[in-house]
């Protein structure tokens, strides 16, 4: 009965995600009727020979080239960041850890800032311009943190966390210097650091998808080892887990995912912090359930936030602001509980 219940919950969750993706696709500031939106989706997405006569090219472009890819990219980004958050929280054994705790975000921001200032136009593995430098900066920052934290062949979790915070602050200071020295690019850099899905399309989805798929598969296959890690490193070693290899694997997979996502979307914070923690309260700490449900919840959470960001006002709000407004108070709640001993 329990197995049937778990499958039912998963099926219902997937169905709910599909419905929300559909609702967010047909919702927006531009007026496209429900009937027209449905016909466009049936024709373009499912290749059903539905007559599109009477529907303007503008409406077709809005649904197929603007809203749908933006919603799908938002789902991929939110799902990825939430799964990475669950992985980091498992490694650190702390629900206040998230994908940006090791300086990945500031490394990406510095790379993007340099690309914006230099008007860099490069291309490698589907990444181009500032996106390429943002990806390189994110990955370079995690390598730097790893090298600083390594003690022999081991990576102490506390040292890793403190090194990440130090590198994060240092790179943030460098970004500030870059902006002060290049005031003409300051607005563009600041907008990038707020995080946004505006203007993103199918190209960005196909660019980040391989990195996300590889990284998420690695994280999902590590669920059992992460469950054992919750008992403590010494116990995990006694039970046959290669703890140091597990840390490297989680760091590598999470860094690839996070670097790919934020190189395209900019910095979208708090998704990897809030979503896994809320899901953990519902499903429990076992990563076999926690990670898939975090994936679905994270994707849903971000596309709802993005839909609100582009629909609530005449001027679009960067989605990173919406997630920060929701995630900031929740983070303070976690800190308050931690002081009371409510978080272990």
């Amino acid at each position: 009965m329990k197995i049937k219940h778990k499958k039912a919950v998963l099926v219902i969750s997937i169905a709910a995600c599909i419905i929300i993706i559909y609702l967010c696709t047909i919702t927006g500031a531009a007026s496209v009727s429900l009937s027209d939106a449905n016909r466009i989706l049936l024709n373009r997405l499912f290749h059903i020979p539905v007559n599109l006569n009477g529907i303007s090219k503008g409406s077709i472009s809005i649904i197929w080239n603007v809203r749908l890819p933006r919603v799908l990219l938002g789902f991929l980004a939110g799902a990825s960041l939430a799964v990475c958050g669950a992985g980091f929280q498992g490694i650190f054994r702390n629900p206040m850890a998230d994908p940006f705790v090791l300086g990945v975000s500031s490394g990406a921001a510095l790379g993007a800032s340099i690309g914006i200032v230099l008007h860099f136009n490069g291309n490698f593995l589907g990444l181009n311009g500032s996106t390429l430098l943002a990806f390189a900066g994110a990955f370079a920052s995690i390598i730097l943190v790893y090298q600083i934290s390594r003690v022999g062949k081991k990576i102490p979790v506390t040292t890793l966390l403190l090194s990440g915070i130090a590198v994060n602050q240092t790179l943030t200071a460098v970004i500030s210097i870059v902006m002060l020295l290049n005031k003409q690019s300051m607005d563009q850099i600041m907008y990038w650091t707020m995080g946004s899905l505006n203007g993103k399309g199918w190209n960005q989805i196909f660019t980040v998808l391989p990195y996300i798929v590889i990284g998420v598969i690695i994280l999902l296959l590590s669920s059992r080892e992460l469950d054992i890690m919750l008992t403590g490193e010494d116990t995990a070693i006694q039970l046959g887990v290669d703890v140091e290899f597990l840390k490297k694997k989680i760091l590598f997979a999470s860094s690839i995912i996070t670097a790919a996502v934020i190189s395209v979307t900019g910095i979208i914070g708090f998704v990897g912090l809030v979503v896994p923690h809320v899901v953990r309260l519902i499903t429990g700490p076992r990563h076999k359930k926690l990670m898939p449900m975090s994936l679905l919840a994270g994707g849903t959470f971000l596309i709802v936030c993005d839909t609100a960001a582009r629909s609530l006002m005449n001027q679009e709000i960067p989605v990173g602001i919406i997630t920060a407004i929701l995630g900031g108070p929740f983070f303070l709640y976690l800190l308050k509980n931690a002081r009371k001993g409510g978080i272990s």
Side-chain angles (χ1 to χ4, degrees), residues 137-338:
F139 213 67
S141 66
I142 195 65
I143 292 174
L144 176 61
V145 171
Y146 173 82
Q147 293 297 332
I148 294 172
S149 306
R150 189 172 62 177
V151 180
K153 294 184 178 181
K154 294 186 176 181
I155 315 168
V157 170
T158 303
T159 307
L160 186 67
L161 179 60
L162 293 175
S163 299
I165 293 172
V167 169
N168 206 350
Q169 293 300 315
T170 302
L171 294 180
T172 300
V174 175
I175 295 168
S176 298
I177 294 173
V178 171
M179 288 194 292
L180 287 173
L181 295 177
N182 299 273
K183 293 183 179 180
Q184 70 278 8
S185 302
M186 186 179 293
D187 289 343
Q188 192 176 353
I189 294 172
M190 288 183 66
Y191 187 81
W192 190 93
T193 59
M194 292 178 187
S196 176
L197 298 173
N198 186 28
K200 307 301 187 296
W202 295 108
N203 288 340
Q204 284 74 24
I205 291 177
F206 295 134
T207 295
V208 302
L209 191 59
Y211 304 101
I212 290 174
V213 170
I214 293 171
V216 168
I217 289 174
I218 292 173
L219 291 175
L220 292 177
L221 292 177
S222 304
S223 296
R224 179 178 172 277
E225 295 168 295
L226 286 170
D227 286 340
I228 298 174
M229 273 288 288
L230 294 176
T231 63
E233 290 191 19
D234 293 338
T235 304
I237 292 171
Q238 292 174 4
L239 293 174
V241 175
D242 188 339
V243 171
E244 297 307 317
F245 178 73
L246 177 62
K247 290 177 186 176
K248 294 174 185 177
K249 182 167 62 171
I250 299 300
L251 287 174
F252 174 76
S254 298
S255 299
I256 281 186
I257 294 171
T258 306
V261 168
I262 64 178
S263 67
V264 169
T265 66
I267 299 173
I268 302 176
F270 290 103
V271 177
L273 170 67
V274 174
V275 173
H277 186 76
V278 172
V279 172
R280 187 180 291 104
L281 295 176
I282 300 170
T283 67
R286 292 192 61 187
H287 288 82
K288 188 175 182 180
K289 293 186 291 183
L290 174 62
M291 284 193 161
M293 293 305 293
S294 293
L295 185 148
L296 295 173
T300 303
F301 173 72
L302 187 56
I303 61 174
V304 170
C305 288
D306 183 58
T307 302
R310 61 182 167 84
S311 304
L312 291 178
M313 299 175 61
N314 293 331
Q315 181 179 354
E316 181 172 329
I317 306 169
V319 69
I321 294 177
I322 302 294
T323 59
I325 289 172
L326 297 176
F330 189 81
F331 184 70
L332 294 176
Y333 162 77
L334 291 181
L335 290 176
K336 183 178 180 180
N337 274 10

